[in-house]
Amino acid sequence: AQRVTQPEKLLSVFKGAPVELKCNYSYSGSPELFWYVQYSRQRLQLLLRHISRESIKGFTADLNKGETSFHLKKPFAQEEDSAMYYCALNSGSARQLTFGSGTQLTVLP
Amino acid sequence: DAGVIQSPRHEVTEMGQEVTLRCKPISGHDYLFWYRQTMMRGLELLIYFNNNVPIDDSGMPEDRFSAKMPNASFSTLKIQPSEPRDSAVYFCATARTGAETQYFGPGTRLLVL
């Protein structure tokens, strides 16, 4: 069965500092991984997906199959990055996502 | 497009009452998902539909929960009878075949007293 683990429920960094939100997964097949973000009082929305290898709002995430990780990184955090971040795994053609428990990121001024 | 629409946005009810949550998907999206979000358990998939047919309801916590999708533009999630532990934010999300991205509604914040 698939599983997504986000070990940090809460993460605080200062503005301008690097930030890394950890995500590990377990899945026997070839995974598709995503990061979703939920800003305060807004709906959950896609931030980025590993398949497109893009950088969104300065965030990047690299799929490391050896370590079964998909950590989200940003070199210089901004206050507007404060939000809840969810790592998610799509485990096949069913289109259903398995979400991690989420990490609440707070960027301090 | 207004995106995924959910109603009501907030619901406060008493234990034992029936609760019905509603979702209108984005036009053309043939997958619809119901999620529950709590502080303790994060986001959990309850059930999802493809072309109005329930595909996987293994996440539905118990028989008190039921979901329907009578047509391509409407789905309901019903809790009967409701209990305080059902208090959570319930999200509806939709996607179209061939696309990986799910689009989420604003959620319904349910409080059962």
Side-chain angles (χ1 to χ4, degrees):
Chain A
Q2 58 271 16
R3 185 180 178 87
V4 177
T5 303
Q6 292 180 250
E8 303 138 328
K9 273 199 173 302
L10 303 170
L11 181 63
S12 294
V13 299
F14 285 102
K15 176 183 172 181
V19 61
E20 180 180 69
L21 291 85
K22 291 184 168 51
C23 172
N24 288 90
Y25 67 91
S26 62
Y27 178 59
S28 56
S30 184
E32 295 178 35
L33 285 145
F34 306 81
W35 277 99
Y36 278 78
V37 61
Q38 187 177 24
Y39 300 102
S40 179
R41 302 184 187 283
Q42 293 187 29
R43 64 185 70 192
L44 201 67
Q45 57 188 286
L46 178 68
L47 179 62
L48 56 79
R49 48 192 176 180
H50 92 269
I51 200 168
S52 54
R53 303 180 68 82
E54 57 202 342
S55 173
I56 304 293
K57 299 184 179 183
F59 284 97
T60 59
D62 291 318
L63 177 61
N64 186 323
K65 291 187 177 181
E67 296 183 358
T68 60
S69 68
F70 189 57
H71 303 327
L72 184 67
K73 301 177 185 179
K74 184 169 183 177
F76 308 103
Q78 303 299 314
E79 290 181 68
E80 56 265 30
D81 296 328
S82 296
M84 177 71 89
Y85 291 81
Y86 289 95
C87 183
L89 167 71
N90 183 338
S91 54
S93 60
R95 296 292 137 208
Q96 59 188 98
L97 292 174
T98 300
F99 283 87
S101 54
T103 298
Q104 178 68 50
L105 173 66
T106 301
V107 181
L108 304 167
Chain B
D1 197 329
V4 177
I5 299 173
Q6 289 186 250
S7 65
R9 295 293 307 275
H10 303 272
E11 176 82 24
V12 181
T13 190
E14 292 186 341
M15 182 174 64
Q17 296 299 306
E18 177 179 295
V19 174
T20 300
L21 312 180
R22 297 173 178 79
C23 175
K24 178 177 167 50
I26 294 172
S27 178
H29 284 199
D30 47 0
Y31 283 87
L32 185 141
F33 307 81
W34 281 102
Y35 292 92
R36 177 172 67 178
Q37 182 185 42
T38 61
M39 286 292 290
M40 293 301 295
R41 301 170 70 95
L43 264 173
E44 304 171 279
L45 176 67
L46 300 177
I47 185 172
Y48 81 95
F49 296 83
N50 179 218
N51 291 321
N52 314 337
V53 177
I55 303 300
D56 185 350
D57 65 353
S58 59
M60 297 285 262
E62 48 196 277
D63 292 345
R64 297 184 297 106
F65 286 69
S66 63
K68 294 182 180 179
M69 193 163 185
N71 56 61
S73 58
F74 184 64
S75 176
T76 60
L77 177 67
K78 187 172 293 187
I79 309 172
Q80 166 63 19
S82 58
E83 296 182 4
R85 60 193 167 119
D86 302 330
S87 298
V89 181
Y90 291 81
F91 286 102
C92 176
T94 69
R96 58 180 174 81
T97 299
E100 304 95 350
T101 304
Q102 291 186 18
Y103 294 84
F104 282 75
T108 295
R109 189 173 295 272
L110 173 65
L111 178 61
V112 183
L113 302 172

